[in-house]
Amino acid sequence: MRAAEVRRLAHEAEVGPDVAVLDLCCGVAGPGRMITAESGCRYLGVDHSASALATARQLTGNLPCRFEQAHLPPLPEGRFEVVLLLETMLAFADKEALVGDVARVLEPGRRFAFTVEEGQPLTQQERARMPGADTVWPIELAKLTGLLRNAGLAVTWQREYSSAHHAIATSLLRCYRADSAQIAGQIGSQATADLITSHQLWSDWLGSGRVRKFAIVAEKQ
């Protein structure tokens, strides 16, 4: 996500001074560190990758950010005012279990803020073409809204970012192709080919409307 998109999502989720924020699948926590620096929230980032969390801790400096390593779900115990999930809803095959666990750690009136790739499940042919297809699970918006509602979460804000993310995917694809030899020297030929293939597919799907990108805030009822 672009910084402005992250800021808008955090604003709509009412992230502010001393608000307890749980950031799921935070990676190196670039958005989380930015939100903490700008809002003064109390931040906990969780990710399965020890190396990503090590990088996050190195980059945190004096910011009041905490990090925990965990495989999700289940979510960490405790109560949070905002749960963030940026760019990772796609990877969860069982979104019902995820949403239910998010609702469990939110008090009434608190918020789940996330991004999602919206669309029908991949066909068998599409799964065969997509590298890492076991982490690619789009969901139709109506079905997702129903899962949220069943968990006691009501959508209070949503915005489509398909056009912006199509531009980003296409730009990345162009750069990866131009620098493919250098990238392959770092990560290997197969990983580079997979990187290019996946971005070609995302560019095609976002451009054609096969998949749409949304940012959403849902409030615990």
Side-chain angles (χ1 to χ4, degrees):
M1 295 183 74
R2 294 172 175 172
E5 296 168 1
V6 173
R7 290 188 178 102
R8 179 63 187 274
L9 183 61
H11 171 76
E12 296 296 337
E14 300 180 30
V15 175
D18 207 37
V19 169
V21 174
L22 173 63
D23 188 6
L24 306 177
C25 306
C26 66
V28 300
R33 287 182 280 110
M34 181 184 75
I35 290 170
T36 303
E38 295 181 357
S39 73
C41 67
R42 292 184 288 116
Y43 175 88
L44 172 60
V46 179
D47 200 274
H48 184 59
S49 170
S51 61
L53 292 177
T55 300
R57 291 187 179 99
Q58 289 175 358
L59 295 173
T60 293
N62 294 324
L63 291 173
C65 296
R66 297 184 298 116
F67 299 97
E68 292 182 8
Q69 184 179 5
H71 184 79
L72 304 171
L75 275 61
E77 293 299 323
R79 285 291 185 266
F80 300 91
E81 294 168 84
V82 175
V83 174
L84 293 177
L85 181 64
L86 305 179
E87 310 286 35
T88 324
M89 176 74 81
L90 183 72
F92 288 88
D94 189 350
K95 291 177 175 49
E96 183 175 11
L98 172 67
V99 167
D101 212 30
V102 168
R104 176 182 62 82
V105 302
L106 287 173
E107 296 285 359
R110 306 314 187 185
R111 297 155 298 281
F112 178 32
F114 61 96
T115 62
V116 63
E117 287 74 17
E118 189 272 340
Q120 294 184 353
L122 300 190
T123 65
Q124 186 174 1
Q125 183 180 20
E126 288 170 336
R127 300 195 70 78
R129 294 176 61 199
M130 172 59 78
D134 59 334
T135 62
V136 181
W137 304 97
I139 184 171
E140 294 175 279
L141 200 58
K143 183 174 181 180
L144 176 60
T145 301
L147 292 180
L148 292 166
R149 183 172 57 250
N150 290 342
L153 296 162
V155 173
T156 57
W157 178 85
Q158 71 179 40
R159 172 163 291 189
E160 184 173 354
Y161 287 110
S162 300
S163 178
H165 284 254
H166 173 243
I168 291 170
T170 303
S171 179
L172 286 170
L173 174 64
R174 186 164 53 247
C175 293
Y176 292 152
R177 282 176 168 163
D179 296 333
S180 59
Q182 296 95 315
I183 296 171
Q186 296 292 320
I187 66 174
S189 298
Q190 185 59 57
T192 304
D194 289 346
L195 186 69
I196 291 171
T197 297
S198 63
H199 280 76
Q200 178 67 70
L201 289 170
W202 283 118
S203 177
D204 292 345
W205 291 349
L206 286 162
S208 67
R210 166 65 180 87
V211 173
R212 298 187 297 165
K213 185 63 172 277
F214 284 88
I216 296 174
V217 176
E219 184 175 287
K220 176 73 173 292
Q221 301 301 292

